[in-house]
Amino acid sequence: MFDAHALRGLLPRLRRHAFLLTASRLAGDAAVAMAIARLPRDADGRPQGRDLAQLFTLVQEAARQVVCPHDGHLGPLHERLAALPPPQRAMLVLVTVEALPAAEAAAICGLAAEDGAGALTAARTALGSRMGSSRPRQRSGQGGGGARR
């Protein structure tokens, strides 16, 4: 269980998570605000939550509702991430950035563990193939063992 003070400490992490889901700082901040507004309140009206998984779930739900254009001048990695379908993007962010186990990430995304694993694999494959296409090619004779005679 966390209180309003602990929630303040989590805001940078929640904002990063929402930005990676939406590719927009404005939409990400709106998603975080919506998620916090949905939290139960204590007797003094301050937000309280069960755990980080609850917050991520609420942010995910809110991010799906916010419609806002992507930020301009996204870096290549953010552009590739934004191009992934939402379930794949969410799984990839939760597992690789937030370091959650795949089964917990799937539960946050509302997916069965097997479906979450499939979405994660598809995201890694898609992101890897997109990133691989922009890497410079290594010319023969460079790297490894040098030129052969």
Side-chain angles (χ1 to χ4, degrees):
M1 191 88 164
F2 60 85
D3 60 9
H5 178 72
L7 181 60
R8 272 192 296 277
L10 292 171
L11 284 176
R13 189 173 180 186
L14 294 173
R15 290 182 71 215
R16 176 190 64 202
H17 181 70
F19 168 69
L20 291 173
L21 293 177
T22 63
S24 165
R25 284 177 180 76
L26 180 62
D29 286 349
V32 170
M34 289 169 64
I36 291 170
R38 292 179 182 162
L39 285 171
R41 306 289 166 170
D42 65 12
D44 295 325
R46 286 180 243 141
Q48 289 187 316
R50 288 187 317 266
D51 53 27
L52 191 56
Q54 177 193 28
L55 281 173
F56 283 141
T57 300
L58 291 171
V59 169
Q60 298 262 2
E61 291 169 358
R64 285 191 289 264
Q65 296 175 2
V66 176
V67 178
C68 189
H70 293 171
D71 285 353
H73 309 293
L74 291 175
L77 179 59
H78 286 108
E79 287 178 6
R80 290 179 179 104
L81 186 62
L84 293 174
Q88 291 179 16
R89 183 177 21 194
M91 283 296 298
L92 187 67
V93 169
L94 287 167
V95 172
T96 60
V97 177
E98 301 301 340
L100 295 179
E104 186 175 352
I108 289 169
C109 293
L111 300 171
E114 301 81 29
D115 295 335
L120 181 59
T121 299
R124 286 178 171 158
T125 300
L127 198 60
S129 67
R130 289 181 183 133
M131 291 188 75
S133 65
S134 67
R135 287 187 183 147
R137 287 183 152 180
Q138 192 174 32
R139 286 184 259 154
S140 61
Q142 289 183 337
R148 292 187 182 189
R149 296 180 186 226

